[in-house]
Amino acid sequence: QVQLVESGGAFVQAGGSLRLSCAASGIIFSLNAMGWHRQAPGKQRELVATITTDGGTNYADSVKGRFTISKDNAKNTIYLQMNSLKPEDTAVYYCNADIHTTLGRANFWGQGTQVTVSS
């Protein structure tokens, strides 16, 4: 059984930093594209950042220059370094991954981690 487990969410003051982690576990043949999404109260889930197998990255305009996505292939883990946090970054952050498992290729989501930024 494949799982994605996020960690690192916290309460932080505006201007502060956090680093989120997402570890994939289980029988994994290959990790393909992975990414972070977020959902604020009353809003739709939105893409924050993605990273491809060859390390290519993509960011939402709202986080460009402040957030950095990275990965550790040996640990099947991706990270989201969030700097200069703003109150509007408050949301539940979800990890997402396209994974090739024993049952074939599928898309997986983590349970989410809460980030709260106070003004």
Side-chain angles (χ1 to χ4, degrees):
Q1 182 179 0
V2 173
Q3 284 188 318
L4 297 178
V5 179
E6 302 105 330
S7 62
F11 180 97
V12 64
Q13 298 280 348
S17 298
L18 284 175
R19 189 175 85 150
L20 305 183
S21 300
C22 171
S25 63
I27 301 176
I28 297 171
F29 291 154
S30 65
L31 279 175
N32 305 309
M34 297 184 73
W36 290 95
H37 292 67
R38 67 186 180 187
Q39 187 166 19
K43 295 187 177 181
Q44 288 188 328
R45 190 172 297 190
E46 63 176 357
L47 177 69
V48 176
T50 60
I51 187 164
T52 63
T53 51
D54 61 0
T57 59
N58 184 53
Y59 297 92
D61 288 343
S62 59
V63 306
K64 281 181 182 176
R66 299 188 298 123
F67 291 10
T68 302
I69 189 170
S70 61
K71 63 178 180 175
D72 184 331
N73 291 327
K75 296 181 179 180
N76 287 340
T77 298
I78 62 168
Y79 306 95
L80 186 69
Q81 178 66 42
M82 305 187 293
N83 298 328
S84 302
L85 282 161
K86 304 175 181 180
E88 50 264 44
D89 294 319
T90 295
V92 178
Y93 284 70
Y94 297 92
C95 175
N96 170 256
D98 180 52
I99 302 175
H100 192 181
T101 73
T102 56
L103 299 179
R105 190 166 174 172
N107 196 254
F108 293 84
W109 290 89
Q111 81 288 351
T113 186
Q114 177 70 47
V115 172
T116 304
V117 185
S118 67
S119 58

